[in-house]
């Protein structure tokens, strides 16, 4: 059990955004959190890294490797952010500071987390770029010189640089067109097998994750209405909202929605 | 009988980038023609060329077998009466400072003299607005609200109501459901299909979501970097002589 | 103009500062008009033996160095300062707004020519241009107002142009164009509500600036020529008597500060009311 | 007062500077607030960077361009303001000179004044533009491509 939330509620002023959410993710799993815009899924993901602005009050426990993040000091939290927990955001432009090169981001990230040997940092950065299929030349180019897909690959490179235990991917394919989004998902799946890190994948369109997710949770207005194995959720949904969500999304393929072959018995 | 025929349409920007390259297709009366392509493949530019908002470099556009690419000013007036567009972002397609009812009657007030509506009837502004809101399954209480006071799904229904208010022959739908949540997407698509039958409209449905297009349209065009690379009926979707790019799109959805 | 609707988009907390500013401004305008009709003392009648008197029943605020009644001069001075500022503001609006509309919506040659003029005015600070113009035209309130108009209309034209440019790219204008609405109708029905908000905010903020400009110029002798009463000029005339009768300077100085403060409060209130964001940030 | 050494400079420059300083205070505050609300600041925090480093290396530099623009424009209006201050403090500077010239309709002197002012303002605007290039690499590279 790498991450578990016990009775977590988040309020901004008197409006309750997340209502008593209990869910847990096992090590090395691809856990998908599916919910429409405004269901609070992004706020929940940011609460894990204590990235919520001040006007949000978080109750309950968020345990990462059996350590309650809410009780940690900002300094301890900073060491966790990066080494054991890292993020990829939807707005790939916004992941990078416009006037610093990709290389500078990689350098700074390692230096801040204690890797002081410049030569070794450079090698590791170049290696990270190659591992996500980006050419070495991108090391010294600025973010505006890269395409959407390339920027998202670079942010995956940064996120996995210090091989974290948990990677939170917040709607990373929403802003991309379907072909490059598809390739990003395949890259993420490949990297997960190599590093063995756990992925919390947040999206509003379950079609993006139906091939890769192990378990899926459906979220509506701050409450997790249903969660379980991919096959159970997609092929035999129980909750009315889940049925509505599955039925509303147009699909092309024949056979089971979860993509498992018909023959495989549950 | 072909309602809209496009022959060798080419459109490039001053920067030299060719947005639409030598495109030809026909859209028949009462048909919903799908146009699938990734962002940046020129599908929105094509829509704007058809509406004569953007000038075209070469090629010709026939509407009811009359060339319209060289018309301008008053001559365009009668062509524009029969053509409407629905954009992706409903909030940007409604003037934030006008009430819903004022936006709804805007087209009718412009064409009032030359219109003879069969389905709707303009007895008074309030009655007309009420009819339009009912046609798109919206409560008539929305008439006095402002666009930012209603949900995305409702806003898009208002733009659709505005589009059908003058009973055009063709509506260009430029990614109508891309910015809506999944459930209101489904509702808007079903509404559009119903309206097509009741008002015998024809649609050019533009989207990057092949699954949604496959659900709505009888014929599908696939566009990539300004070129038309595939054209097929819905039932031939899974044939193996489909273009490689179409196959890749199918594998994703 | 049925399409024109000034509405409160979001019900903001009711801010008293704006309303208070409005009431005070109306009060001042009323007082100014009142004195115009009920003049007790001739503002220019000099009476040397009643020179530099303190407060008295006959002269509520005493008399200045030439024995003229300070209160009447102050109130009539308001007409000069506020009146000319309003005149300059309105003229700048009347020239600037249509120019901004045309160059923003029509684009083309008009827009390119205008942009060159605007860049020129932007680079050169308005005070210097005003100095140079009043220098060429010669000192005097008429020339000063002309100079201010020539300087100020550009900022309104630029503001209207940027608003029109931003809005006319939006889809609802495209839809209006495809529905065959003529440009005039599109501007009147769709773009005008947006422009009103921005222009009102800029105008109220600018009003304060123009008052300061006119007072400053009268102060250095380029604006209102003696003996006509004007706050800036009064400030300058009572400067030598600062040690003996400081209140002479305080009255006119305070009057300028109060009016400018009120107009800025009104401007801030209008800015929240129309929630006009940065483009009006001066 | 007139001019007797450095002391007589303090009061005029103080009065002139006070008004402009309020503009900078408000501007830098709003520009920094805007920088801290940017996406890349949240991404930097998510990478575990300390607030001090985020402020120095990321937020501050992002908030500079608007401040520099206002600096260029306000320097121009300062020059205008100086005229009034010089007349007020009877400080025999170029501003007072031009006011007297206007009174005596001494046109050559006015033209000279305009020339000097134009040169100063041109230099100031050129420096502001150059600093944009340094601060914002995107413009620098677009320039290089444009004139290649």
């Amino acid at each position: 059990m790498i991450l578990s939330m016990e009775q977590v509620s988040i309020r901004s002023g008197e409006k309750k955004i997340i209502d008593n959410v209990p869910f847990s993710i096992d090590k090395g799993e691809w856990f998908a959190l599916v919910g429409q815009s405004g269901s609070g899924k992004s706020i929940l993901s940011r609460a894990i890294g204590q990235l919520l602005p001040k006007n949000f009050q978080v109750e309950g426990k968020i345990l990462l490797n059996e350590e309650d993040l809410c009780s940690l000091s900002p300094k301890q939290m900073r060491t966790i952010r990066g080494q054991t927990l890292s993020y990829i955001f939807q707005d790939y432009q916004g992941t990078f500071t416009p006037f610093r090169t990709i290389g500078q981001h990689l350098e700074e990230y390692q230096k801040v987390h204690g890797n002081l040997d410049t030569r070794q940092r450079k090698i590791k950065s170049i290696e990270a770029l190659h591992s996500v299929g980006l050419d070495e030349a991108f090391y010294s180019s600025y973010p505006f010189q890269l395409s959407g897909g390339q920027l998202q690959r670079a942010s995956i490179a940064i996120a996995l640089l210090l091989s974290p235990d948990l990677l939170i991917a917040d709607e990373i394919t929403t802003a991309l067109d379907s072909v490059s989004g598809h390739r990003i998902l395949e890259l993420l799946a490949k990297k997960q097998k190599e590093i063995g890190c756990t992925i919390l994948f947040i999206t509003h369109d379950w079609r993006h994750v139906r091939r890769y997710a192990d378990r899926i949770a459906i979220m509506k207005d701050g409450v997790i209405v249903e969660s379980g194995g991919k096959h159970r959720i997609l092929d035999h949904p129980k909750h009315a909202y889940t049925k509505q969500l599955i039925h509303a999304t147009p699909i092309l393929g024949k056979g089971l929605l979860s993509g498992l072959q018909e023959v495989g018995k549950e | 009988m072909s309602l809209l025929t496009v022959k060798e349409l080419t459109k490039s920007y001053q920067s030299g980038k060719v947005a639409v390259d030598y495109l030809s297709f026909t859209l028949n009366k009462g048909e919903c023609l799908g146009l699938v392509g990734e962002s940046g493949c020129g599908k929105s530019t094509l829509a704007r060329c058809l509406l004569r908002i953007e000038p075209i470099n070469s090629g010709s556009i026939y509407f009811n077998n009359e060339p319209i690419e060289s018309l301008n000013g008053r001559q365009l007036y009668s062509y524009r009466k029969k053509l409407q567009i629905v954009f992706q972002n409903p909030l940007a397609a409604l003037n934030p400072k006008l009430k819903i009812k004022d936006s709804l009657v805007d087209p009718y007030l412009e064409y009032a003299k030359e219109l003879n509506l069969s389905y709707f009837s303009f007895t008074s502004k309030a009655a007309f607005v009420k009819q339009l809101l009912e046609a798109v399954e919206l409560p008539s209480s929305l008439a006095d609200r402002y666009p930012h006071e209603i949900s995305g799904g409702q806003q898009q229904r208002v733009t659709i109501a505005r589009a059908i208010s003058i009973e055009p022959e063709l509506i260009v739908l430029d990614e109508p459901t891309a910015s809506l949540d999944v459930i209101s997407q489904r509702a808007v698509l079903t509404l559009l299909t119903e309206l097509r039958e009741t008002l015998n409209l024809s649609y050019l449905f533009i989207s990057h979501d092949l699954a949604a297009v496959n659900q709505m349209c009888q014929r599908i065009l696939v566009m990539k970097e300004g070129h038309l690379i595939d054209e097929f009926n819905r039932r031939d979707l899974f044939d193996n002589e489909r273009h490689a790019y179409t196959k890749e799109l199918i594998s994703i959805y | 103009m049925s399409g024109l609707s000034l509405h409160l988009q979001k019900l903001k907390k009711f801010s008293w500062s704006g309303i208070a500013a409005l009431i005070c401004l109306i009060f001042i305008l009323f007082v100014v008009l009142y004195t115009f009709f009920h003049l007790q003392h001739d503002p220019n009648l000099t009476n040397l033996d009643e020179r530099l008197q303190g407060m008295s029943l006959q002269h509520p605020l005493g008399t200045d160095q030439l024995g003229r009644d300070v209160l009447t001069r102050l109130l009539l001075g308001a007409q000069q300062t506020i009146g000319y500022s309003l005149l300059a503001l309105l003229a700048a609006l009347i020239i600037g707004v249509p120019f901004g509309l045309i160059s923003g919506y029509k684009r083309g040659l008009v827009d390119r020519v205008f942009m060159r003029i605007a860049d020129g005015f932007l680079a050169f600070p308005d005070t210097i241009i005003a100095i140079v113009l009043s220098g060429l035209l010669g000192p005097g309130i008429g020339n000063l107002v002309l100079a201010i108009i020539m300087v100020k209309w550009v900022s309104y034209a630029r503001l209207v142009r940027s608003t029109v440019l931003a809005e006319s790219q939006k889809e609802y204008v495209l839809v209006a164009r495809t529905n065959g609405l003529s440009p005039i109708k599109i501007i009147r029905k769709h773009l005008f509500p947006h422009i009103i908000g921005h222009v009102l905010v800029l105008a109220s903020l600018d009003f304060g600036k123009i008052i300061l400009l006119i007072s400053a110029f009268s102060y250095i002798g380029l604006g209102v020529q003696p003996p006509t009463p004007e706050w800036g000029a009064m400030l300058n005339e009572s400067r030598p008597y600062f040690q003996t009768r400081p209140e002479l300077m305080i009255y006119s100085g305070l009057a300028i500060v109060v009016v400018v403060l009120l107009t800025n409060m009104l401007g801030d209130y209008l800015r929240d009311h129309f929630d006009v964001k940065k483009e009006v940030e001066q | 007062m007139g001019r007797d050494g450095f002391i007589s400079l303090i009061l005029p420059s103080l009065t002139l500077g006070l008004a402009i300083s309020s503009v900078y205070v408000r501007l830098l505050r709003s520009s920094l607030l805007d920088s801290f609300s940017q996406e890349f600041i949240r991404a930097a925090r998510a990478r575990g960077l300390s607030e001090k480093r985020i402020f120095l290396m990321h937020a501050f530099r992002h908030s500079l361009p608007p401040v520099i623009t206002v600096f260029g424009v306000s320097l121009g209006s300062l020059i205008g303001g100086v005229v009034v201050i010089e007349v007020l403090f009877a400080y025999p500077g170029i501003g007072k000179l031009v006011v007297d010239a206007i009174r005596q309709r001494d046109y050559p002197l006015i033209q000279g004044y305009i020339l000097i002012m134009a040169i100063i303002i041109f230099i100031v605007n050129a420096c502001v533009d150059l600093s944009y290039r340094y601060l914002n690499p995107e413009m620098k590279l677009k320039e290089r491509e444009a004139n290649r």
Side-chain angles (χ1 to χ4, degrees):
Chain A
M1 188 82 69
I2 180 167
L3 174 80
S4 74
M5 291 215 183
E6 281 141 19
Q7 275 57 45
V8 170
S9 305
I10 301 176
R11 259 200 321 282
S12 145
E14 67 299 328
K15 194 163 78 60
K16 191 175 267 265
I17 298 164
I18 305 288
D19 187 1
N20 191 329
V21 162
F23 84 81
S24 60
I25 306 177
D26 304 333
K27 189 128 195 51
E29 188 188 37
W30 181 309
F31 186 94
L33 181 59
V34 179
Q36 295 312 306
S37 54
S39 60
K41 54 188 189 309
S42 292
I43 291 169
L44 186 66
S45 71
R46 284 193 205 121
I48 299 172
Q50 311 290 323
L51 288 170
L52 287 177
K54 306 253 176 330
N55 53 11
F56 285 87
Q57 297 92 22
V58 181
E59 288 144 19
K61 285 209 192 63
I62 301 176
L63 300 172
L64 185 62
N65 292 339
E66 273 72 37
E67 200 184 7
D68 180 10
L69 299 184
C70 301
S71 61
L72 290 184
S73 73
K75 194 162 181 347
Q76 286 164 321
M77 200 56 221
R78 273 208 302 274
T79 46
I80 286 186
R81 275 196 225 118
Q83 281 160 359
T84 45
L85 166 73
S86 66
Y87 278 85
I88 309 173
F89 293 103
Q90 168 180 351
D91 171 13
Y92 36 80
Q93 286 287 16
T95 315
F96 297 94
T97 310
F99 43 80
R100 289 167 70 86
T101 64
I102 306 290
Q104 278 171 327
H105 285 91
L106 291 163
E107 288 287 310
E108 181 187 44
Y109 189 44
Q110 292 176 63
K111 200 163 87 184
V112 162
H113 286 287
N115 178 343
L116 298 178
D117 170 356
T118 29
R119 207 175 37 73
Q120 207 221 346
R121 280 203 308 257
K122 180 94 193 277
I123 299 161
K124 226 161 172 292
S125 307
I126 302 286
E127 194 189 283
L129 285 178
H130 283 321
S131 73
V132 289
L134 284 178
D135 181 66
E136 205 175 307
F138 287 114
Y139 182 85
S140 53
S141 50
Y142 286 97
F144 64 85
Q145 293 171 301
L146 280 78
S147 76
Q150 289 165 338
L151 275 171
Q152 205 62 304
R153 283 170 185 275
S155 40
I156 290 176
I158 289 187
L160 300 176
L161 198 55
L162 307 174
S163 52
D165 302 343
L166 172 64
L167 171 66
I168 299 179
D170 186 352
E171 300 232 31
I172 63 174
T173 52
T174 308
L176 295 173
D177 55 76
S178 37
V179 172
S180 30
H182 181 57
R183 290 205 188 95
I184 290 286
L185 287 169
E186 269 164 11
L187 170 69
L188 208 57
K190 181 164 73 67
K191 297 298 286 181
Q192 184 185 29
K193 286 187 187 57
E194 281 164 25
I195 300 174
C197 68
T198 320
I199 293 181
L200 167 59
F201 193 91
I202 292 163
T203 179
H204 69 283
D205 187 345
W206 52 268
R207 294 177 301 184
H208 291 191
V209 290
R210 70 187 175 112
R211 273 193 197 75
Y212 307 99
D214 303 326
R215 283 200 309 134
I216 296 179
I218 307 288
M219 195 164 177
K220 180 176 189 292
D221 303 334
V223 171
I224 290 202
V225 295
E226 197 173 359
S227 75
K230 170 170 68 172
H231 176 62
R232 217 237 350 106
I233 292 284
L234 290 181
D235 301 331
H236 315 288
K238 290 196 178 46
H239 193 277
Y241 180 72
T242 321
K243 287 198 187 104
Q244 202 187 5
L245 208 58
I246 309 266
H247 174 64
T249 318
I251 195 76
L252 271 185
K254 304 186 284 299
L256 285 176
L257 296 186
S258 59
L260 301 178
Q261 275 54 40
E262 218 109 319
V263 168
K265 287 283 167 297
E266 182 45 41
Chain B
M1 188 268 288
S2 94
L3 176 64
L4 175 79
T5 317
V6 171
K7 280 207 175 64
E8 295 139 8
L9 183 71
T10 315
K11 158 78 182 172
S12 59
Y13 290 104
Q14 300 88 349
S15 62
K17 173 177 174 303
V18 176
V20 175
D21 191 0
Y22 214 71
L23 207 75
S24 308
F25 66 91
T26 48
L27 191 151
N28 306 320
K29 196 144 187 37
E31 181 190 33
C32 175
L33 177 66
L35 177 59
V36 177
E38 292 308 329
S39 51
C41 75
K43 51 190 194 302
S44 289
T45 319
L46 171 65
R48 288 169 184 240
C49 294
L50 292 178
L51 279 146
R52 296 294 314 283
I53 300 171
E54 298 255 350
I56 56 174
N57 296 51
S58 68
S60 49
I61 305 171
Y62 295 91
F63 191 80
N64 283 335
N65 305 324
E66 290 143 37
I68 53 109
E69 73 280 4
S70 52
L71 301 179
N72 42 40
R74 290 305 293 169
Q75 303 146 328
L76 263 180
Y77 205 72
S78 54
Y79 165 65
R80 288 226 159 107
K81 186 157 57 96
K82 305 194 193 68
L83 190 71
Q84 284 292 315
I85 185 162
V86 172
F87 284 106
Q88 166 176 349
N89 178 358
L91 195 56
L94 292 169
N95 186 340
K97 303 249 176 179
L98 290 186
K99 287 197 168 105
I100 301 283
K101 62 175 192 254
D102 300 324
S103 298
L104 276 177
V105 292
D106 204 19
Y108 180 84
L109 293 180
E110 190 56 35
Y111 291 115
K113 302 177 281 313
E114 300 172 23
L115 275 182
N116 39 46
L117 299 180
S118 57
Y119 187 79
F120 298 111
S121 60
F122 189 94
T123 47
S124 76
K125 174 173 170 182
F128 186 61
V129 164
K130 194 165 178 305
Q131 279 175 39
L132 289 177
L133 290 176
E134 266 149 27
V136 287
E137 293 149 12
L138 281 178
S140 49
S141 62
L142 291 192
D144 295 307
R145 306 275 287 277
Y146 284 94
H148 63 278
E149 289 165 355
I150 58 176
S151 77
Q154 289 169 323
Q155 285 163 7
Q156 196 65 307
R157 285 166 185 264
V158 168
T159 51
I160 293 171
R162 176 174 60 184
I164 59 173
S165 65
I166 52 170
E167 288 172 13
E169 290 171 37
L170 171 64
I171 297 184
V172 175
L173 302 161
D174 187 359
E175 299 246 24
T177 56
S179 55
L180 302 180
D181 63 274
V182 171
I183 292 165
S184 21
Q185 248 184 46
R186 183 55 179 249
V188 167
L189 290 183
T190 16
L191 170 72
L192 282 171
T193 319
E194 283 156 18
L195 288 175
R196 187 161 63 82
E197 274 117 26
T198 47
L199 294 162
N200 61 58
L201 301 165
S202 358
Y203 293 149
L204 174 61
F205 185 86
I206 299 174
S207 173
H208 67 279
D209 183 340
L210 179 58
V213 169
N214 173 53
Q215 198 181 33
M216 279 280 287
C217 310
Q218 291 81 25
R219 256 179 351 105
I220 297 170
L221 312 173
V222 180
M223 205 168 157
K224 188 165 193 275
E225 275 123 23
H227 303 281
L228 204 58
I229 58 166
D230 208 345
E231 184 175 349
F232 51 91
N233 280 327
R234 182 174 20 193
R235 58 185 178 284
D236 321 334
L237 182 65
F238 290 99
D239 288 5
N240 46 32
E241 90 269 12
R242 287 281 70 75
H243 189 278
Y245 180 70
T246 320
K247 286 196 179 115
E248 190 181 4
L249 280 181
I250 293 169
S251 68
I252 294 169
Y253 285 97
Chain C
M1 292 206 271
S2 65
L4 176 72
S5 63
L6 304 176
H7 68 285
L8 268 174
Q9 272 180 334
K10 294 181 283 303
L11 265 176
K12 277 179 256 323
K13 57 173 177 33
F14 201 73
S15 69
W16 284 108
S17 62
I19 300 302
L22 200 62
I23 295 163
C24 297
L25 274 178
I26 294 165
F27 168 73
I28 289 174
L29 285 180
F30 174 71
V31 162
V32 164
L33 290 175
Y34 171 75
T35 48
F36 194 76
F37 299 107
H38 302 281
L39 208 57
Q40 270 111 2
H41 300 278
D42 171 353
N44 303 333
L45 177 64
T46 56
N47 174 353
L48 285 181
D49 52 19
E50 280 178 16
R51 195 165 167 277
L52 292 173
Q53 276 181 351
M55 287 194 225
S56 65
L57 203 57
Q58 217 206 355
H59 298 293
L61 293 178
T63 57
D64 64 7
Q65 71 280 8
L66 297 176
R68 292 170 294 193
D69 174 60
V70 174
L71 178 60
T72 6
R73 278 184 67 77
L74 204 63
L75 295 177
L76 282 174
Q79 261 164 30
Q80 300 286 336
T81 318
I82 297 177
Y84 282 117
S85 310
L86 217 56
L87 178 68
L89 191 63
L90 290 179
L93 277 173
I94 290 162
I95 301 169
V97 171
F99 206 99
L101 279 176
I102 296 163
S103 87
Y105 194 79
K106 275 278 184 299
R107 311 297 301 273
L109 185 64
V110 172
D111 187 30
R112 272 196 299 279
V113 163
F114 168 67
M115 275 320 288
R116 296 293 76 72
I117 305 172
D119 294 344
F121 274 103
L122 180 66
F124 242 72
D126 43 19
T127 18
I128 291 193
I129 296 178
I131 292 170
V132 163
L133 284 175
S134 59
L136 300 177
L137 304 168
I141 188 67
N143 301 341
L144 176 59
V145 168
L146 201 62
I148 292 176
I149 293 170
M150 287 169 76
V151 165
K152 281 295 174 190
W153 73 273
V154 183
S155 48
Y156 290 100
R158 246 157 47 87
L159 174 67
V160 167
R161 176 179 173 279
S162 67
T163 323
V164 165
L165 267 185
E167 293 305 322
S168 57
Q169 308 306 334
K170 294 237 176 86
E171 273 95 353
Y172 70 86
V173 172
L174 290 183
V175 167
R177 267 170 52 198
T178 53
N179 287 335
L181 271 84
S182 66
I184 318 285
K185 229 178 243 173
I186 289 181
I187 289 176
R188 184 181 61 75
K189 188 167 186 190
H190 286 285
L191 298 180
F192 225 75
H194 294 271
I195 294 168
I196 289 287
H198 295 155
V199 165
L200 267 182
V201 170
L202 183 62
S204 48
L205 294 176
D206 238 7
F207 189 52
K209 287 204 183 75
I210 295 178
I211 290 178
L212 285 177
L213 210 59
I214 289 187
S215 313
F217 271 60
S218 313
Y219 186 87
I220 57 177
L222 294 178
V224 173
Q225 299 309 312
T228 38
E230 197 277 339
W231 289 346
M234 284 163 68
L235 209 59
N236 181 30
E237 282 150 16
S238 47
R239 191 155 50 95
Y241 307 91
F242 184 66
Q243 275 79 14
T244 53
R245 291 287 308 288
E247 70 272 15
L248 277 178
M249 278 193 93
I250 291 168
Y251 293 144
S252 36
L254 207 60
I256 297 175
V257 164
V258 162
V259 171
V260 170
L261 196 65
L262 288 176
T263 46
N264 283 351
M265 273 162 68
L266 186 63
D268 285 347
Y269 169 72
L270 283 174
R271 176 179 299 166
D272 298 342
H273 175 71
F274 288 106
D275 59 56
V276 167
K277 298 291 178 302
K278 21 190 202 338
E279 56 273 48
V280 184
E281 202 67 30
Q282 208 62 19
Chain D
M1 299 181 182
R3 182 200 303 215
D4 46 17
F6 178 72
I7 309 129
S8 69
L9 265 183
I10 297 163
L11 201 54
S13 43
L14 204 63
T15 20
L16 198 57
L18 220 56
I20 298 290
S21 59
S22 63
V23 172
Y24 283 109
V25 167
R26 214 162 56 123
L27 181 77
L28 198 57
R29 176 183 163 279
S30 75
S31 169
L32 270 172
L33 276 180
D34 172 57
S35 301
F36 270 103
S37 66
Q38 295 286 329
E39 269 284 315
F40 63 83
I41 297 292
R42 188 142 46 82
R45 283 206 186 99
R47 292 197 294 268
L49 275 64
S50 68
E51 283 302 309
K52 193 163 64 59
R53 169 175 270 277
I54 289 177
F55 173 75
L56 283 175
M57 311 294 279
H58 297 262
F60 183 68
R61 185 162 161 191
H62 180 266
S63 62
L64 274 183
V67 177
I68 291 173
T69 328
V70 169
F71 174 76
V73 171
S74 66
L75 198 62
S77 64
L78 268 179
I79 293 170
V82 137
V83 171
V84 177
I85 295 295
E86 278 173 14
V87 166
L88 178 69
F89 288 93
Y91 186 89
I94 192 166
K96 191 168 187 314
L97 191 65
V98 84
V99 169
D100 302 339
I102 288 172
R103 281 217 195 88
Q104 293 129 18
R105 296 291 185 81
D106 179 349
Y107 289 119
L109 191 71
I110 298 174
Q111 285 156 357
Y113 173 80
I114 301 169
L115 192 63
I116 295 168
M117 285 304 141
I119 293 167
I120 293 173
I121 286 162
F122 173 76
I123 294 166
V124 163
N125 285 344
C127 300
V128 166
D129 279 352
L130 281 176
S131 67
Y132 277 159
R133 282 237 176 348
Y134 167 70
L135 276 177
N136 181 347
E138 192 166 357
M139 292 173 78
K140 184 161 64 181
L141 287 165
K142 278 212 182 74
E143 226 74 74
R144 210 169 289 162
E145 267 134 36
N147 44 37
R148 186 174 298 150

